Amino acid sequence: MKYISSVPIYLQVVNSIKEKIITGELSPGDKLPSGRELALQYTINPNTAARVYQTLEQEQVCFTRRGLGTFVTEDGERIRLLREEMAGTLVRQFLEGMKRLGITENDVMEMIRQAND
Amino acid sequence: MLESKEITKVYGRKTAVDHVSLKLTPGFIYAMLGPNGSGKTTWMKMAAGLVKPTSGRMYFDGRPLDIDSRRRIAYMSTEPYFYTWMKVSDVGKYYQDFFEDFSMEQYHLLLERMQLTPDLKTSSLSSGMMAKLKIAVTMARDSDVIMLDEPLNGIDLLARDQIMQSIVERVSERRILLISSHLVEELETVADYAIFMKESRLVDFRELEELRSSEGISVTDKYRQIYGTNGGEA
Amino acid sequence: MFKLFRYEFRKSLFPKLVFLCITGVFEVVFLIGALGEIETPTGIGIVGLTFAALAGIAYMGIESILTLYRDLTTKQSYMLFMTPNSSYKILGAKSLENGLAVFLSGVFFGGLAYLDISLLSKDEPVFKMVIDMINTVLREVDPTLKLSFQTFAAVLFMLLVTLILRIVLGYFAVVLACTLLAGKKGASVIALIIYVAISVGLSFLLNLLPEMKPVTDMMVQSCINLAVSVAVYFLTAWIMDKKLSV
């Protein structure tokens, strides 16, 4: 994976896993790799990998079963919310960019329609 | 824990390391950064017990560094240092003869990963192959401290990935990993802390994720701030 | 210690083999001459073997000092100083290997000379001839001297101690020079100066001893040399452990 070196690595990995859950690459209840495996998979520090799971758990995207490992949440509602959260973030970033270019909301709407045709 | 207190090394008129106090705790990967001649190598050699400080002291687990510490500290220098008569297999045997924490199995695994064979003569190795051999034999030790001085020098892109993977594999709660490099980007994602050396002095010590979240900058950015001609801190 | 010893031996294997080969060549030449009763090859063989023996033993004598110099002035020093071996052990292994090498080459060349002389002298008992020769030499030195077990032991002890002293002084000179110069050029010259200075100083001090019977004199000098060797050995190892940077 390519990283943006000025953004915390753990956040980038967290987002990458969230994307995999949303796109269905990871299904609800799937077992996630161990911290060490995750570190190797993403070439990150195992301490960072631990922090990734910590964050995912806090956000209730994942849960840990003692001695068994970390799993993707089985809560469908949480995954739906996750999709909305990430979509919302993307839209906000997109709109901010447009605002910087001085494009009004109506023009943006028009441009999206045109691009879709 | 590996610690230097006000450690200084003077060579004739040149001060190589100037009153550096630094404490490394197990469980983390430390990236020692700085241009050539900033004191990284000399600090490491003092930690390995090869170079004796002019003043100040090195401590390992709270006790002054001594011969016994070498049982638990693995160091890889930038220069090749094997006897010229040795084959790749002899290098492994030598380490097995003198280091209890050396694993022949791990050595062969690493050799295979680096695409080296035991029957090669060390005197016939290219500089890239020699660099790989040094890494393989050093990382085959299950030591409490592993210090690698410029492990990525002269190593092609694909082998770099292998090496970074081996480094990540070696992280453990009881182990200190110290890696020096002037290739900052390579260590960006794996290191926990960055140690910035400049003109023989320690100028900054930062946790990388903290640097990214609080200042929104990368290690590379920080490196430019410290060493760059524009806006550099003196 | 045995492992270190083995590696010290391995380091000096090549020059040892070279001397063995040279000796072998001259021995063959000598045998051709001796068995075929031709004068020229016999002469060449004798001269060559004498040269090989003298050069061989002399080289073995300084060989470990040269090795130590190389060990300290090249990056190969890491091979020794990275390992958890104290300098006492490192120096001990080096001295032992070197002492043994010199002793064994002495035995080897001595034995070879004995066999070759036996071959030439045919019926004459060589052992008696050698004893007579030694006695002649001894009488030259001191009229009261005669080869006895006592003198023989004293001479052997003196040779051994002198050898140890030479080796240890050599180590000391090299280590001190490398410590003082810390990687700069010219350590070999400084080492040589240190070595000569200490040797001269030591023989000057030994000359201050009162006149004694030859055998007693030999024993006293040897004991002093041995004591000096031990002291220098510990001093050298201490410098290596505490001060030397490689």
Side-chain angles (χ1 to χ4, degrees):
Chain A
M1 182 170 141
K2 268 262 153 254
Y3 295 96
I4 303 164
S5 55
S6 55
V7 175
I9 305 293
Y10 83 97
L11 279 182
Q12 299 183 56
V13 177
V14 161
N15 282 334
S16 155
I17 291 175
K18 280 180 180 170
E19 263 177 41
K20 282 182 183 171
I21 294 173
I22 291 165
T23 57
E25 200 177 316
L26 287 169
S27 310
D30 269 4
K31 190 179 183 304
L32 290 165
S34 72
R36 190 160 282 271
E37 282 162 8
L38 188 77
L40 288 173
Q41 205 177 312
Y42 282 88
T43 326
I44 54 169
N45 189 303
N47 297 310
T48 311
R51 199 165 169 191
V52 167
Y53 283 151
Q54 232 173 30
T55 312
L56 287 172
E57 260 179 72
Q58 264 168 23
E59 296 184 12
Q60 289 169 333
V61 177
C62 295
F63 64 97
T64 299
R65 282 212 187 105
R66 236 173 219 286
L68 289 177
T70 307
F71 298 84
V72 177
T73 184
E74 282 159 351
D75 183 353
E77 182 61 15
R78 181 70 193 92
I79 296 176
R80 200 185 56 76
L81 260 167
L82 198 60
R83 177 181 283 118
E84 273 176 21
E85 277 168 26
M86 288 194 87
T89 312
L90 280 178
V91 169
R92 268 194 307 280
Q93 282 171 354
F94 168 71
L95 286 177
E96 266 168 40
M98 284 304 191
K99 212 185 252 172
R100 271 201 300 276
L101 294 178
I103 298 167
T104 64
E105 220 175 296
N106 280 340
D107 287 347
V108 170
M109 292 300 209
E110 185 54 35
M111 285 163 91
I112 291 176
R113 253 193 301 277
Q114 277 176 7
N116 248 353
D117 286 342
Chain B
M1 197 169 64
L2 186 63
E3 186 178 11
S4 73
K5 282 187 186 162
E6 294 288 309
I7 211 159
T8 300
K9 179 66 187 177
V10 181
Y11 288 108
R13 282 200 198 115
K14 202 191 160 291
T15 305
V17 170
D18 194 357
H19 294 88
V20 170
S21 295
L22 187 60
K23 196 192 265 184
L24 309 182
T25 45
F28 301 105
I29 300 181
Y30 296 86
M32 196 174 234
L33 307 173
N36 290 332
S38 54
K40 304 184 302 257
T41 296
T42 308
W43 192 92
M44 279 197 184
K45 283 184 180 171
M46 286 195 280
L50 295 172
V51 167
K52 307 287 169 6
T54 310
S55 68
R57 227 183 203 168
M58 200 61 89
Y59 295 84
F60 181 57
D61 281 350
R63 296 189 318 126
L65 196 80
D66 59 11
I67 305 278
D68 236 30
S69 320
R70 294 179 192 167
R71 286 178 207 286
R72 295 165 58 200
I73 297 179
Y75 166 68
M76 187 203 86
S77 77
T78 49
E79 313 95 344
Y81 50 88
F82 307 122
Y83 296 131
T84 43
W85 55 265
M86 285 183 155
K87 284 184 188 168
V88 169
S89 57
D90 293 320
V91 172
K93 266 183 225 130
Y94 190 88
Y95 270 63
Q96 192 168 40
D97 276 340
F98 292 110
F99 299 111
E100 289 156 27
D101 59 12
F102 180 80
S103 155
M104 199 48 105
E105 206 190 332
Q106 179 74 15
Y107 181 54
H108 283 289
L109 193 100
L110 289 168
L111 285 182
E112 213 173 290
R113 203 182 271 179
M114 310 270 187
Q115 292 172 327
L116 292 170
T117 49
D119 57 310
L120 288 170
K121 283 184 175 166
T122 53
S123 54
S124 68
L125 295 183
S126 69
S127 66
M129 287 160 102
M130 180 55 97
K132 289 179 193 173
L133 171 61
K134 284 190 300 165
I135 291 172
V137 78
T138 310
M139 301 267 281
R141 284 185 64 189
D142 189 28
S143 316
D144 292 344
V145 178
I146 297 180
M147 296 189 287
L148 305 174
D149 198 357
E150 299 280 359
L152 302 172
N153 262 14
I155 288 193
D156 59 274
L157 203 67
L158 295 177
R160 264 182 210 179
D161 294 342
Q162 297 283 355
I163 290 165
M164 292 322 289
Q165 197 192 350
S166 308
I167 290 173
V168 169
E169 274 174 1
R170 274 313 201 191
V171 174
S172 140
E173 277 173 22
R174 63 169 180 85
R175 180 172 298 127
I176 294 168
L177 277 154
L178 176 64
I179 301 152
S180 86
S181 184
H182 56 262
L183 299 165
V184 190
E185 289 94 341
E186 300 292 341
L187 300 176
E188 187 94 58
T189 63
V190 293
D192 292 284
Y193 294 92
I195 300 159
F196 295 95
M197 300 282 291
K198 187 185 186 184
E199 289 160 10
S200 321
R201 293 219 175 99
L202 173 72
V203 287
D204 211 348
F205 183 91
R206 300 300 289 263
E207 193 184 343
L208 299 193
E209 288 286 65
E210 193 268 336
L211 191 68
R212 286 185 277 254
S213 54
S214 71
E215 293 185 31
I217 58 170
S218 66
V219 192
T220 316
D221 297 333
K222 189 75 196 166
Y223 192 89
R224 287 210 182 88
Q225 269 182 25
I226 294 179
Y227 305 102
T229 41
N230 300 322
E233 297 166 7
Chain C
M1 182 100 144
F2 175 69
K3 286 172 186 162
L4 278 172
F5 177 86
R6 229 179 47 210
Y7 282 105
E8 288 306 323
F9 176 75
R10 182 61 186 77
K11 278 181 207 173
S12 55
L13 190 59
F14 185 70
K16 282 175 183 140
L17 287 177
V18 169
F19 275 112
L20 205 63
C21 284
I22 295 174
T23 309
V25 168
F26 283 120
E27 180 65 24
V28 168
V29 173
F30 170 80
L31 286 178
I32 291 170
L35 296 175
E37 301 194 10
I38 326 168
E39 238 172 69
T40 322
T42 315
I44 294 174
I46 291 173
V47 172
L49 284 171
T50 314
F51 166 78
L54 291 176
I57 293 177
Y59 179 77
M60 295 292 164
I62 56 163
E63 187 267 342
S64 80
I65 297 164
L66 295 177
T67 306
L68 179 68
Y69 182 75
R70 199 173 53 229
D71 278 343
L72 296 185
T73 49
T74 66
K75 293 301 163 202
Q76 288 180 4
S77 55
Y78 299 167
M79 289 300 263
L80 279 180
F81 295 102
M82 237 173 25
T83 58
N85 289 305
S86 73
S87 299
Y88 299 93
K89 257 193 188 173
I90 293 172
L91 280 183
K94 282 180 177 296
S95 319
L96 205 66
E97 193 275 334
N98 197 197
L100 217 60
V102 175
F103 179 75
L104 288 181
S105 28
V107 171
F108 170 74
F109 284 118
L112 194 65
Y114 186 83
L115 289 178
D116 287 347
I117 294 169
S118 304
L119 194 68
L120 277 187
S121 58
K122 305 252 164 71
D123 307 321
E124 253 182 279
V126 178
F127 189 68
K128 197 176 164 299
M129 214 171 72
V130 172
I131 301 273
D132 287 345
M133 218 164 70
I134 292 174
N135 270 328
T136 321
V137 175
L138 282 179
R139 266 195 300 278
E140 289 287 320
V141 178
D142 186 309
T144 61
L145 272 180
K146 196 173 180 306
L147 190 63
S148 64
F149 177 73
Q150 205 192 8
T151 351
F152 183 70
V155 170
L156 205 66
F157 182 61
M158 189 187 70
L159 282 177
L160 197 68
V161 169
T162 314
L163 173 67
I164 293 170
L165 181 70
R166 293 293 131 205
I167 295 173
V168 172
L169 274 186
Y171 292 162
F172 175 74
V174 168
V175 168
L176 191 63
C178 287
T179 306
L180 292 177
L181 275 106
K184 285 200 281 293
K185 296 262 177 289
S188 53
V189 179
I190 302 291
L192 196 66
I193 294 172
I194 295 171
Y195 180 82
V196 170
I198 297 177
S199 300
V200 169
L202 198 61
S203 61
F204 177 76
L205 285 178
L206 287 175
N207 274 336
L208 296 178
L209 288 173
E211 283 281 324
M212 280 173 286
K213 275 197 205 156
V215 177
T216 329
D217 187 51
M218 246 190 284
M219 288 306 285
V220 170
Q221 291 211 13
S222 299
C223 286
I224 292 173
N225 281 340
L226 191 62
V228 172
S229 304
V230 171
V232 171
Y233 168 79
F234 278 100
L235 181 63
T236 311
W238 182 85
I239 295 175
M240 264 167 96
D241 264 1
K242 303 289 176 196
K243 302 287 171 202
L244 178 71
S245 293
V246 290

